[in-house]
């Protein structure tokens, strides 16, 4: 075990462990996860979950890739603790990281994989990514924060003209979260607003950008948050406006955001949850996701885009089945793209694919992201759809990055699993991302 | 793989301030843009180039540059050009430093006067290279908001501290076209009182006809901390040859020369620039006439389309557009017209349009009408 030199949240350092994938080391991995979780601020329940996840993952990898060198890292984030396993993945099969894993059969492999699935489900988020010949498997556990409730709002008269400022004061941020929760529909407010302490910590750590609109009397009149989500794009939620002069407050907030990111690596801003207060004339409507709310009522979500630079083209990969959709979308948006053909070349694939699933039960929404290619991607997708439909999810979305060849070749398989392309998100991944939606959800 | 180890080494070798710096992405060549946008012509109204130039003598030098000179190094310190500049402006040749465009001169001045922990002060909405060079050099750039589209002298003075070494003033300012008149500039220099170097960037100075516009070089004797930048890229239409110069007090020029890369300006650029100075009256007159006509045309166009226009000095104007400037850029590109979006200048929703011949301005007007009133 060693301390790394880098600084992280709260002045804590990551903890590293390097060992063989051997079940004999499970107590050591458990001890590391448990103790690090406690030092990094998790509550008792989360510490227990993190400890169990460490056990399940190590047990699984010990069976799948015995003697492989594992590097386990536990890192304190702004509002969470991350546990990562990095290893060479030539022979490791990660299919059990799919939320659909387990229960497919009663084989020994399935039973072993069940533990891994449990580890994924016990966490507040998980991801798998490839880094060259290695695979990194990461789990995230959020720290505990007190919740606030929606409540009645007493209007305060506006004084003077609103001005946008970087959000720094925890009390004002907390007030803004409460006002947004109280004044806007649930589906348009990030769930994290219910725990403003988490938002404050993420802002302090630079994980989130945020601006407040304040009037001459110092009253909070608006709130906007954003986050860089890829090398070239950032998403925003808002603007949330708490004053009668919605237009003015919304304008100063979005101008603040655009000016803040205009000279950074960010090429485009995308709305994640845009309110009706967004100054539409400064943004481009990419399209509308025909979503349903948890009660089955129509809750369409418009997606807005703001380019920050002079867009002079990009090369993307696409299956020919998707080309008509893309050409129409790009022509409508005046985006110039070189479309290169992508299709399954029959190159050797592992048997099992992995899809990441991000679930938002309150919005009845599931977002799937292809993570690892595999020969079973079609049946894997169908399994995911069946499971999510069975659990009552009304909105099943999938993001396809058009810079990744094997993903770009998927449209026929997606169509076979009931997905249709809905909207293109410029620069949302390594290149543009197409949002697919399951038609029967 | 071999590149993996290189990348790891870069992580260790590259300073943090360079790692976080975002490289500037220049626009693609015209044929590539025309292919992408499926257009058969492209008017570049984005870089404030002068379509009327260069001067006839400079053009003859460009056309007749003898290949036998190509293998021979240029004059490393632009000897002949500096002497022509000295005669033209009544200064000593040693007071001039010639650079590969003003961008190189900005870097030389910053290198000459700033060390780790120092800072520079300039405006937040001006030529971005002052800020960029400071930041990728590991120095802080203190950016002062404009007031009424112009540099705010009081705020710039207030932004200084004991580690401030240079104050950059773009006069007239790109992209707003505002300028400090002589009393404003001298009052500012009086208050600086020699505590910092003041760079006066007069890249667009030859476009200004207003008699209140100060000639920075004439102030050098009174203010030895002043450094005046000029360029052959704008009025003299030699942007493709990349050549500019600065003029400063002898002791200041001597310091800057120590950090300046010699041989960075090629022979053709030096000769064309020298020729331009000897034969510039007609070009300046015709260009100013073109700019006046262009401003009048765009004024009428903006009135017709009910668009706010900010028209200062220089061969450009700013227009507030009723949509995202970057979307408007793409829509105009699809009609063969390239403008500069102002989001990167922190003027979201504005475009900057370079002034060109009347027929090109007319085509821009038609494209803008078609986009805004389809």
């Amino acid at each position: 075990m060693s301390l790394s030199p880098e600084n992280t949240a709260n002045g804590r350092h990551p903890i590293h462990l390097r060992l063989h994938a051997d079940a004999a080391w499970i107590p050591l991995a458990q001890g590391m996860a448990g103790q690090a979780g406690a030092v990094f601020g998790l509550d008792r329940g989360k510490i227990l979950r993190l400890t169990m996840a460490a056990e399940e993952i190590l047990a699984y990898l010990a069976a799948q890739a015995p003697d492989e060198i594992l590097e386990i890292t536990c890192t304190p984030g702004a509002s969470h603790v991350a546990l990562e396993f990095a290893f060479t993945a030539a022979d490791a099969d990660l299919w059990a990281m799919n939320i659909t894993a387990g229960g497919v059969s009663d084989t020994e492999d399935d039973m072993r994989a069940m533990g891994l699935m449990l580890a994924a489900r016990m966490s507040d988020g998980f991801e798998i990514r490839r880094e060259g010949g290695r695979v990194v498997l990461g789990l995230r556990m959020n720290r505990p924060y007190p919740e606030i409730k929606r409540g009645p709002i007493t209007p305060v008269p506006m004084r003077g003209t609103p001005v946008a400022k970087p959000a720094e004061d925890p009390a004002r941020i907390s007030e803004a979260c409460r006002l947004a929760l109280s004044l806007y529909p649930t589906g348009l407010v990030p769930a994290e607003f219910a725990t403003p302490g988490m938002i404050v910590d993420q802002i302090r750590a630079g994980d989130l950008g945020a601006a407040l609109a304040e009037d001459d009397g110092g009253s909070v009149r608006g709130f906007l948050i954003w986050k860089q989500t890829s090398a070239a794009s950032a998403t925003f939620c808002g603007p949330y406006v708490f004053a009668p002069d919605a237009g003015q407050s919304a304008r100063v907030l979005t101008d603040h955001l655009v000016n803040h990111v205009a000279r950074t690596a960010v090429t485009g801003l995308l709305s994640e949850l845009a309110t009706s207060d967004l100054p539409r004339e400064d943004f481009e409507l990419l399209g509308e996701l025909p979503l349903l709310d948890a009660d089955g009522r129509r809750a369409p979500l418009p997606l807005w885009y703001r380019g920050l630079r002079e867009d002079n083209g990009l090369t993307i990969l696409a299956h020919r089945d998707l080309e008509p959709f893309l050409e129409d979308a790009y022509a409508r948006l005046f985006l110039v793209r070189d479309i290169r053909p992508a299709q399954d070349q029959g190159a050797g694939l592992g048997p099992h694919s992995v899809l990441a699933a991000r679930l938002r039960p309150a919005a009845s929404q599931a977002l799937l992201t292809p993570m690892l290619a595999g020969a079973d991607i079609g049946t894997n997708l169908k399994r995911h759809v069946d499971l999510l439909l069975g659990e009552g999810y009304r909105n099943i979305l999938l993001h396809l990055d058009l810079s990744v060849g094997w993903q770009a070749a998927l449209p026929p398989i997606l169509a076979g699993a009931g997905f249709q392309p809905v909207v293109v998100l410029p620069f949302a991944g390594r290149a543009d991302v197409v949002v697919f939606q399951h038609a029967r959800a | 793989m071999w590149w993996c180890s290189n990348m790891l080494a870069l992580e260790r070798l590259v300073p943090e301030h360079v790692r976080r710096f975002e490289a500037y992405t220049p626009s693609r060549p015209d044929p590539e843009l025309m292919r992408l946008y499926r257009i058969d012509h492209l008017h570049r109204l984005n870089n404030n180039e002068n379509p009327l130039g260069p001067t006839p003598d400079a053009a003859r030098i460009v056309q007749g540059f003898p290949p036998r000179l190509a293998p021979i190094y240029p004059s490393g310190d632009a000897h002949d050009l500096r002497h022509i500049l000295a005669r033209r402006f009544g200064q000593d040749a040693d007071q001039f430093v010639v650079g590969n465009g003003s961008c190189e001169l900005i870097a030389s001045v910053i290198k000459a006067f700033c060390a780790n922990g120092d800072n520079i002060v300039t405006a937040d909405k001006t030529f971005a290279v002052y800020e960029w060079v400071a930041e990728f050099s590991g120095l802080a750039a203190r950016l002062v908001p404009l007031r009424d589209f112009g540099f705010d002298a009081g705020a710039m003075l207030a932004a200084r501290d004991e580690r401030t070494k240079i104050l950059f003033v773009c006069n007239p300012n790109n992209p707003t076209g505002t300028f400090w008149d002589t009393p404003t500039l001298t009052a500012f220099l009086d208050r600086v009182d020699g505590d910092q170097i003041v760079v006066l960037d007069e890249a667009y100075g030859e476009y200004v006809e207003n008699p209140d516009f100060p000639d920075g070089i004439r102030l050098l004797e009174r203010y030895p901390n002043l450094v005046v930048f000029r360029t052959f890229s704008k009025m003299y239409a030699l942007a493709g040859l990349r050549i500019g110069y600065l003029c400063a007090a002898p002791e200041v020029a001597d310091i800057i020369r120590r950090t300046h890369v010699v041989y960075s300006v090629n022979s053709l650029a030096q000769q064309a620039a020298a020729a331009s100075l000897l034969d510039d009256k007609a070009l300046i007159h015709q260009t100013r006439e073109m700019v006046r006509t262009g401003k009048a045309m765009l004024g009428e166009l903006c009135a017709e389309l009910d668009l706010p226009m900010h028209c200062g000095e220089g061969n450009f104007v700013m227009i507030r557009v009723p949509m995202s400037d970057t979307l408007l850029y793409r829509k105009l590109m699809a009609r063969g017209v390239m403008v500069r979006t102002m989001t990167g200048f922190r003027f979201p929703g504005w475009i900057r349009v370079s002034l060109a011949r009347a027929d090109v301005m007319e085509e821009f007007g038609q494209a803008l009408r078609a986009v805004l009133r389809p």
Side-chain angles (χ1 to χ4, degrees):
Chain A
M1 207 178 294
S2 64
L3 277 176
S4 72
E6 65 264 47
N7 287 314
T8 53
N10 303 326
R12 303 288 187 191
H13 302 278
I15 302 297
H16 301 289
L17 191 59
R18 183 179 163 88
L19 43 70
H20 284 96
D22 185 330
W25 292 119
I26 285 176
L28 181 59
Q30 284 179 310
M32 173 211 190
Q35 217 164 354
V39 173
F40 296 160
L42 292 182
D43 64 12
R44 195 159 175 274
K46 291 289 176 75
I47 293 169
L48 188 60
R49 287 177 172 215
L50 193 68
T51 307
M52 289 167 64
E55 175 191 353
E56 297 293 356
I57 293 169
L58 182 51
Y60 178 78
L61 294 175
Q64 290 287 9
D67 298 328
E68 196 63 65
I69 295 292
L70 300 181
E71 287 177 12
I72 309 175
T73 304
C74 196
T75 307
S79 60
H80 68 278
V81 175
L83 183 67
E84 286 191 345
F85 290 73
F87 51 95
T88 302
D91 299 310
D93 189 346
L94 298 165
W95 72 274
M97 293 309 292
N98 290 298
I99 58 167
T100 53
V104 176
S105 68
D106 291 329
T107 65
E108 191 180 335
D109 276 354
D110 259 12
M111 295 310 293
R112 206 177 280 133
M114 180 69 86
L116 196 52
M117 182 200 73
L118 287 172
R121 285 190 171 181
M122 280 187 289
S123 66
D124 293 315
F126 84 97
E127 67 166 0
I128 302 170
R129 61 181 189 271
R130 276 199 182 278
E131 292 177 354
R134 291 168 68 75
V135 166
V136 178
L137 186 157
L139 296 168
R140 196 187 75 243
M141 292 289 182
N142 292 337
R143 274 204 278 273
Y145 291 94
E147 282 197 30
I148 57 169
K149 302 285 182 202
R150 292 164 180 267
I153 302 299
T154 309
V156 179
M158 180 81 168
R159 291 181 202 167
T161 310
V163 176
K165 298 175 178 175
E168 289 166 349
D169 175 18
R172 287 171 189 274
I173 294 169
S174 184
E175 184 186 355
C177 289
R178 187 179 62 83
L179 289 166
L181 279 171
S182 301
L183 294 172
Y184 285 87
T186 308
L188 290 183
V189 182
E192 292 82 0
F193 277 24
T195 51
M198 176 182 276
I199 297 289
V200 169
D201 280 351
Q202 291 178 352
I203 292 170
R204 279 179 172 163
D207 293 352
L208 270 185
L212 286 166
E214 293 178 19
D215 67 13
D216 291 352
S219 294
V220 175
R221 293 314 192 176
F223 191 42
L224 180 67
I225 64 166
W226 64 91
K227 178 162 66 174
Q228 187 160 353
T229 45
S230 76
S233 69
T235 60
F236 64 91
C237 297
Y240 304 100
V241 180
F242 323 125
D245 72 312
Q248 255 185 322
S249 295
R251 163 77 62 190
V252 297
L253 285 168
T254 51
D255 274 359
H256 179 94
L257 166 59
V258 169
N259 285 330
H260 184 83
V261 297
R263 288 189 186 175
T264 68
V266 173
T267 299
L269 282 170
L270 293 157
S271 69
E272 183 175 329
L273 298 173
T275 64
S276 58
D277 296 315
L278 185 76
R280 297 177 177 205
E281 63 276 18
D282 290 343
F283 288 78
E284 304 170 39
L285 183 63
L286 296 174
E288 194 172 77
L289 289 178
L291 303 180
L292 302 173
D293 67 15
D295 298 323
R297 291 173 299 215
R298 289 184 67 251
L301 181 69
L303 296 175
W304 297 89
Y305 173 67
R306 175 63 158 85
L308 298 170
R309 297 184 194 173
E310 293 144 3
D311 185 337
N312 284 318
L314 190 66
T315 297
I316 52 107
L317 301 164
H319 191 278
R320 62 176 177 275
D321 290 2
L322 192 61
E323 280 191 32
F325 169 82
L326 290 175
E327 282 172 357
D328 176 63
Y330 287 139
R332 188 166 40 81
L333 299 169
F334 288 85
L335 288 168
V336 287
R337 298 291 186 259
D338 280 321
I339 302 178
R340 299 274 181 258
Q343 60 185 62
D344 181 8
Q345 300 294 330
L349 283 178
H352 299 302
S353 57
V354 174
L355 298 168
R358 184 175 151 203
L359 307 180
R360 292 183 64 210
S364 196
Q365 198 177 117
L367 172 62
L368 303 176
T369 309
M371 286 191 147
L372 291 179
D376 72 339
I377 185 88
T379 51
N380 192 14
L381 261 173
K382 284 178 180 161
R383 263 192 238 141
H384 275 79
V385 169
D386 291 344
L387 176 80
L388 293 166
L389 288 176
E391 294 195 4
Y393 281 88
R394 300 179 187 278
N395 310 290
I396 305 176
L397 306 169
L398 185 144
H399 277 187
L400 209 63
D401 192 324
L402 298 182
S403 72
V404 183
W406 69 269
Q407 289 191 33
L410 287 177
I413 291 171
L414 295 179
F419 285 89
Q420 293 175 344
V422 185
V423 66
V424 178
L425 307 178
F427 302 106
R430 279 161 50 189
D432 298 343
V433 163
V434 178
V435 182
F436 284 75
Q437 185 167 16
H438 190 265
R440 287 169 294 172
Chain B
M1 282 182 276
W2 64 268
W3 51 264
C4 287
S5 58
N6 281 356
M7 289 174 73
L8 287 172
L10 283 176
E11 278 292 304
R12 184 173 58 82
L13 292 170
V14 180
E16 172 62 23
H17 62 265
V18 175
R19 259 187 280 163
R20 67 168 184 259
F21 192 81
E22 182 62 18
Y24 176 72
T25 308
S27 62
R28 298 188 190 191
D30 285 16
E32 176 69 356
L33 291 172
M34 287 160 64
R35 181 189 70 77
L36 280 162
Y37 277 95
R38 299 175 187 172
I39 48 180
D40 58 9
H41 69 284
L42 180 60
H43 295 303
R44 278 187 178 264
L45 302 178
N46 65 322
N47 276 339
N48 302 341
E49 294 150 348
N50 182 355
L52 300 186
T55 66
D57 283 354
R60 272 191 288 278
I61 284 172
V62 172
Q63 283 173 332
F65 186 75
R68 67 181 165 75
L69 292 184
I72 300 169
Y73 278 105
S75 168
D77 62 355
H79 177 275
D80 293 347
L81 176 58
R82 286 191 299 107
H83 281 80
I84 292 169
L85 286 165
R87 284 196 294 277
R88 170 73 176 259
F89 296 111
Q91 306 290 319
D92 192 282
D94 287 341
Q95 291 179 253
F96 291 89
V97 178
V98 178
N100 190 267
S102 63
C103 294
E104 187 186 47
L105 295 166
I106 292 167
S108 297
V109 173
I110 286 179
K111 275 187 287 186
F113 293 101
C114 297
N116 191 23
D118 289 341
N119 65 70
I120 64 140
V121 173
T122 187
D124 65 342
K125 297 174 181 179
T126 185
F127 187 48
V129 177
Y130 319 129
E131 175 186 343
W132 288 344
V133 175
E135 289 189 347
F136 69 59
S137 303
L139 305 164
R142 298 186 171 189
L143 306 179
V144 175
L146 296 183
R147 175 181 285 191
D148 297 330
F149 289 90
F151 271 65
D152 184 339
M156 286 186 72
L157 292 166
R160 297 173 299 165
D161 65 12
E162 70 280 2
R163 298 303 301 267
T164 302
K165 293 293 186 66
I166 307 172
L167 307 161
F168 282 95
V169 179
C170 191
N171 207 46
N173 185 35
N174 170 22
T176 59
T178 53
F179 71 91
W180 281 355
D181 58 16
T182 303
T184 306
L185 176 62
T186 52
F188 177 78
L189 290 167
D190 287 339
R191 288 184 62 189
V192 172
D193 197 23
D195 287 343
Q196 286 86 29
I197 294 293
V198 175
V199 170
L200 193 65
D201 188 342
E202 297 183 342
Y204 295 93
E206 293 90 353
Y207 284 95
V208 186
E209 296 184 75
N210 192 315
D212 293 338
F213 182 72
D215 178 343
I217 290 178
R218 289 191 178 186
L219 295 171
L220 286 173
E221 200 169 332
R222 188 171 152 197
Y223 300 102
N225 60 325
L226 187 60
V227 177
V228 179
F229 281 13
R230 291 188 184 169
T231 181
F232 291 96
S233 295
K234 301 304 178 186
M235 174 60 85
Y236 291 99
L238 295 179
L241 300 185
R242 305 303 299 128
I243 181 164
Y245 61 96
L246 64 79
C247 188
E251 58 272 31
V252 172
D254 174 60
I255 296 291
I256 296 169
R257 198 171 287 112
R258 297 177 196 187
T259 63
H260 190 68
V261 175
V262 292
Y263 295 107
S264 67
V265 183
N266 64 67
S267 301
L268 177 59
Q270 291 184 32
Q271 290 179 21
S276 298
L277 287 171
L278 301 174
D279 171 30
D280 60 359
K281 283 194 173 58
L283 176 65
I284 292 175
H285 175 75
Q286 289 161 8
T287 303
R288 286 177 172 176
E289 186 65 36
M290 178 192 75
V291 165
R292 274 194 295 273
T293 305
K295 285 179 178 174
M297 289 177 72
L298 291 191
E300 289 173 15
L301 176 71
C302 289
E304 173 195 329
L305 295 174
D306 197 22
L307 302 177
M309 180 175 108
H310 184 80
C311 179
E313 300 295 339
N315 61 336
F316 51 84
V317 300
M318 286 174 63
I319 300 174
R320 179 76 167 97
V321 293
M323 65 169 67
S324 151
D325 49 342
T326 53
L327 173 60
L328 181 70
Y329 168 88
R330 303 198 307 268
K331 290 188 170 185
L332 290 174
M333 281 292 286
R335 294 174 180 275
V337 178
M338 179 190 277
V339 297
R340 175 67 74 197
T341 61
M342 288 284 94
T343 292
F345 277 82
R346 302 192 182 102
F347 275 110
W350 291 78
I351 59 170
R352 189 192 66 192
V353 184
S354 305
L355 299 164
R357 295 176 197 273
D359 57 332
V360 176
M361 290 290 91
E362 187 56 44
E363 189 172 335
F364 164 73
Q366 287 169 5
L368 192 63
R369 285 186 193 97
V371 169
L372 297 182
R373 292 183 176 171

